[in-house]
Amino acid sequence: MEQNYKIAQHCVIENNKVFLNGVEEFSSADEQFPDFIKAAYKIFKSNYPKFFKMDNLSKLSFLAVDLILKELDLNEEDNDIAVVFANKSASLDTDVKYQSSIANKGEYFPSPAVFVYTLPNICVGEISIKHHLKSENAFFVFDAFNAEFMYNYAVNLLESKKTDKVLCGWVEFFEENYKAVVYLVQNNGTLEHNIKTINTIYNK
């Protein structure tokens, strides 16, 4: 019989606002994403210098996860956390920037710093390095947020004992349009882990 898992923490970042467990924790009048996300990083004291070298998708994903895991005060024995992310545009925002750096033959200058982020799952790697996560991870691309898929995938990981906790998330960024919805599924928490709850968090 399937266990009744819970959502312990959830974070939503969109429209220059950061919500943690449904409560608005930060908002900014800065219209440009780079200014907003930098201000949020400083307010929440994420303390990870490599953050400033990341692409926008990684910054968005990183901050949402960092806020959730800070609440747990993890130690080295608590890092069996799987990461399951999805979005619509993959790494297209960064791909476009990289393409522009090589399109002009007269000023041909491919940037290794940009190229490294031309896969969407790189953001998962950044998160795993910072928080020493050692469980499974996956990044999927869908036309739209798919709560049923995310629910079933998380339950399968937990039921099969492949991990103790699962970070699930929709992390979309393309041409300044962005949204991060990340939540942590485990044995205990404040919200029921079901499709209805997941959609409610996404649509808040």
Side-chain angles (χ1 to χ4, degrees), residues 7-112:
I7 294 176
Q9 305 280 339
H10 57 93
C11 180
V12 177
I13 303 177
E14 63 177 339
N15 299 324
N16 289 7
K17 295 180 179 180
V18 178
F19 298 86
L20 185 61
N21 299 321
V23 178
E24 183 179 316
E25 298 288 353
F26 175 73
S27 65
S28 171
D30 291 324
E31 296 183 1
Q32 299 298 314
F33 176 82
D35 296 327
F36 158 70
I37 203 69
K38 185 186 297 184
Y41 170 88
K42 291 178 179 178
I43 286 291
F44 294 114
K45 300 178 181 177
S46 290
N47 190 29
Y48 191 61
K50 193 179 177 184
F51 177 86
F52 297 100
K53 297 181 180 180
M54 295 180 189
D55 71 334
N56 288 326
L57 177 63
S58 295
K59 288 178 179 177
L60 179 65
S61 309
F62 177 91
L63 187 62
V65 169
D66 201 53
L67 293 180
I68 287 176
L69 296 186
K70 273 183 179 179
E71 292 291 303
L72 300 182
D73 192 23
L74 296 174
N75 58 47
E76 287 295 324
E77 297 178 355
D78 292 328
N79 58 8
D80 187 15
I81 303 175
V83 183
V84 181
F85 279 1
N87 73 5
K88 179 179 180 179
S89 302
S91 58
L92 186 58
D93 187 77
T94 302
D95 297 345
V96 169
K97 290 181 175 64
Y98 185 73
Q99 176 61 29
S100 67
S101 75
I102 64 176
N104 188 334
K105 299 301 182 183
E107 298 181 14
Y108 182 80
F109 189 72
S111 170

Side-chain angles (χ1 to χ4, degrees), residues 58-193:
S58 295
K59 288 178 179 177
L60 179 65
S61 309
F62 177 91
L63 187 62
V65 169
D66 201 53
L67 293 180
I68 287 176
L69 296 186
K70 273 183 179 179
E71 292 291 303
L72 300 182
D73 192 23
L74 296 174
N75 58 47
E76 287 295 324
E77 297 178 355
D78 292 328
N79 58 8
D80 187 15
I81 303 175
V83 183
V84 181
F85 279 1
N87 73 5
K88 179 179 180 179
S89 302
S91 58
L92 186 58
D93 187 77
T94 302
D95 297 345
V96 169
K97 290 181 175 64
Y98 185 73
Q99 176 61 29
S100 67
S101 75
I102 64 176
N104 188 334
K105 299 301 182 183
E107 298 181 14
Y108 182 80
F109 189 72
S111 170
V114 176
F115 177 74
V116 74
Y117 290 102
T118 53
L119 286 174
N121 63 324
I122 297 301
C123 68
V124 177
E126 297 282 19
I127 291 164
S128 298
I129 291 169
K130 202 275 185 179
H131 294 285
H132 308 289
L133 306 185
K134 299 177 181 178
S135 190
E136 299 198 9
N137 63 72
F139 199 112
F140 299 93
V141 178
F142 299 122
D143 285 336
F145 180 67
N146 189 331
E148 182 176 1
F149 177 89
M150 301 298 281
Y151 168 81
N152 288 328
Y153 203 98
V155 169
N156 180 265
L157 286 173
L158 292 164
E159 290 288 311
S160 62
K161 307 298 181 184
K162 291 182 178 179
T163 188
D164 294 330
K165 303 175 181 69
V166 185
L167 273 167
C168 297
W170 176 263
V171 286
E172 168 67 8
F173 191 104
F174 183 59
E175 294 183 338
E176 293 293 320
N177 295 310
Y178 66 90
K179 182 169 185 171
V181 180
V182 180
Y183 58 94
L184 179 68
V185 185
Q186 58 183 35
N187 288 328
N188 52 73
T190 56
L191 299 175
E192 293 294 327
H193 176 235

